[in-house]
């Protein structure tokens, strides 16, 4: 059960108005409503009775409200305890990164950081965005480089850095492999390998929406979760894949990466890379890392 779902329920119960509750959490009413519906589905019970004029708690909603408040309070106490323990440990900057950032951004950024701050020790954790964000809130990460989710937790500060370049991974003997650039229309009949949407919604939706925007339907031949698995499947001829350019650093024989002609519009934002950290926290080492990133942003972005 996601603690953010519980927070949405309590906010709606306190306000008895989804608009005001959403505003208090810094989110859209539709997003809050979706979070509450997910919680209701998990519990198998309606928590609110909603009409065009009023919002009231159901018997089930009233029965669990105090318990939910206590659960949220316990979760906050746990987060604070972990943060306190972290302060007493040896100062290590714990950095989370999605796979493409771990392959492309971090090697460059850590080199610059070592030159300016050789005393800062960094622990790098590579995981998906859905796993990195809870680690920020628990205090086990100081900063994460990730895809910002559609529904953002107000306790996390997200700072957009830049957009990663989309490329097409294809076998080196494929007819399109000799191109300098490939358009979505060129992939109309190509079998595609796409990420699992449950764990990589941004990368999955990028491929699907690019085809929809071009008036085409993506021909999905295989679903895979990890980038190195996808690239290896490309090498075997299973299909082609649209991936971030930094994925090319995964050295797999027989695979070529060709730039995708990305149309202007919302689809481009699916490859946005952001820095994220817990709002209201102070960390001199994290600030030093961000300062180094700011000074070398242009050079790093050119490789993305």
């Amino acid at each position: 059960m996601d603690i953010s779902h519980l927070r949405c329920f309590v906010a709606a119960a306190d306000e008895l108005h989804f608009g005001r509750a959403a505003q208090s959490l810094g989110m859209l009413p539709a997003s809050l409503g979706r979070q509450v519906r997910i919680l209701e589905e998990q519990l198998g019970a309606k928590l609110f009775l909603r009409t065009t004029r009023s919002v009231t708690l159901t018997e089930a909603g009233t029965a669990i409200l105090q318990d939910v408040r206590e659960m949220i309070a316990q979760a906050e106490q746990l987060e604070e305890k972990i943060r306190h323990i972290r302060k007493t440990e040896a100062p290590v900057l714990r950095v989370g990164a999605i796979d493409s950032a771990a392959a492309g951004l971090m090697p460059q950024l850590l080199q610059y950081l070592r030159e300016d701050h050789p005393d800062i020790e960094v622990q790098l954790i590579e995981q998906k965005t859905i796993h990195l964000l809870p680690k920020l809130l628990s205090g086990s990460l100081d900063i994460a480089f990730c895809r910002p989710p559609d529904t953002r937790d107000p306790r996390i500060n997200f700072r957009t850095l830049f957009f990663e370049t989309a490329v097409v991974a294809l076998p080196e003997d494929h007819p399109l492999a000799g191109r300098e650039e490939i358009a979505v229309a060129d992939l109309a009949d190509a079998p595609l390998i796409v990420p699992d949407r449950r764990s990589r919604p941004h990368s999955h939706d990028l491929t699907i929406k690019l085809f929809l925007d071009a008036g085409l339907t993506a021909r999905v031949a295989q679903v895979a979760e990890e980038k190195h698995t996808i690239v290896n499947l490309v090498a075997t001829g299973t299909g082609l894949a649209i991936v971030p350019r930094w994925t090319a650093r995964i050295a797999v024989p027989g695979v070529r990466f060709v730039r995708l002609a990305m149309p202007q519009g919302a689809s481009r934002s699916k490859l946005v890379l952001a820095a994220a950290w817990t709002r209201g926290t102070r960390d001199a080492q994290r600030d030093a890392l961000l300062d180094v990133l700011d000074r070398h942003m242009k050079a790093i972005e050119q490789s993305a």
Side-chain angles (χ1 to χ4, degrees):
M1 190 177 297
D2 194 323
I3 194 72
S4 64
H5 299 159
L6 301 180
R7 293 182 189 277
C8 289
F9 163 65
V10 170
D14 287 342
E15 296 287 349
L16 292 179
H17 189 286
F18 274 50
R20 289 195 298 268
Q23 186 176 16
S24 71
L25 294 176
M27 60 196 302
L28 295 174
S31 297
L32 182 136
R34 184 165 57 251
Q35 299 294 310
V36 170
R37 285 195 299 273
I38 292 173
L39 179 61
E40 290 176 329
E41 290 172 1
Q42 292 174 334
L43 296 175
K46 294 289 291 183
L47 302 177
F48 293 96
L49 294 175
R50 299 176 64 183
T51 69
T52 55
R53 294 176 176 234
S54 66
V55 176
T56 57
L57 282 166
T58 64
E59 182 179 352
T62 302
I64 69 169
L65 180 57
Q66 184 56 37
D67 293 329
V68 172
R69 292 189 196 277
E70 293 173 1
M71 291 174 67
I72 294 173
Q74 290 173 354
E76 290 174 346
Q77 290 172 7
L78 178 62
E79 291 168 6
E80 182 58 34
K81 180 180 289 188
I82 293 297
R83 278 194 285 269
H84 177 73
I85 292 172
R86 281 270 291 104
K87 291 178 181 178
T88 64
E89 295 176 342
V92 176
L93 183 63
R94 293 170 170 82
V95 181
I98 58 174
D99 49 9
S100 64
L105 167 69
M106 293 311 302
Q108 301 175 77
L109 181 55
L110 291 180
Q111 181 180 352
Y112 293 131
L113 183 68
R114 282 192 294 269
E115 293 172 357
D116 292 353
H117 301 278
D119 56 318
I120 295 181
E121 181 181 350
V122 174
Q123 179 185 5
L124 180 61
I125 296 94
E126 179 184 339
Q127 287 188 336
K128 304 175 186 67
T129 296
I130 59 174
H131 300 308
L132 292 175
L133 300 185
K135 289 181 180 296
L136 283 176
L137 294 173
S138 70
S140 57
L141 282 181
D142 301 303
I143 188 171
F145 296 98
C146 60
R147 309 282 185 221
D150 294 333
T151 302
R152 303 185 182 187
D153 192 312
R155 295 170 296 166
I156 298 177
N157 185 63
F158 291 93
R159 176 183 160 193
T160 297
L161 301 178
F162 46 75
F163 297 98
E164 293 186 64
T165 301
V167 298
V168 180
L170 65 173
E172 60 183 9
D173 60 354
H174 192 278
L176 297 174
R179 298 270 195 95
E180 291 297 322
E181 191 172 70
I182 294 174
V184 175
D186 297 326
L187 306 175
D189 298 319
L192 299 172
I193 305 166
V194 300
D196 185 349
R197 194 182 190 284
R198 291 171 297 179
S199 59
R200 297 184 184 275
H202 302 85
S203 297
H204 177 278
D205 290 352
L206 170 70
T207 298
I208 301 303
K209 194 169 189 305
L210 280 172
F211 276 77
L212 289 175
D213 290 348
L216 302 169
T217 300
R219 181 185 161 201
V220 178
Q222 181 67 51
V223 174
E225 188 166 343
E226 304 299 339
K227 290 286 195 315
H228 68 270
T229 302
I230 291 174
V231 176
N232 276 284
L233 287 171
V234 170
T236 65
T238 302
L240 313 185
I242 297 174
V243 295
R245 182 165 65 175
W246 275 334
T247 305
R249 297 184 181 224
I250 302 174
V252 176
V255 178
R256 184 156 191 270
F257 297 86
V258 180
R259 185 184 182 98
L260 179 67
M262 183 72 79
Q264 294 296 321
S267 296
R268 184 171 182 264
S269 66
K270 294 296 183 181
L271 279 179
V272 64
L273 185 67
W277 60 91
T278 305
R279 196 180 297 276
T281 57
R282 295 181 178 180
D283 190 319
Q285 294 189 122
R286 181 192 67 206
D287 292 344
L289 180 72
L290 288 170
D291 177 66
V292 171
L293 177 59
D294 285 340
R295 286 187 281 112
H296 298 279
M297 182 79 76
K298 186 174 181 180
I300 294 174
E301 184 178 2
Q302 287 176 345
S303 71

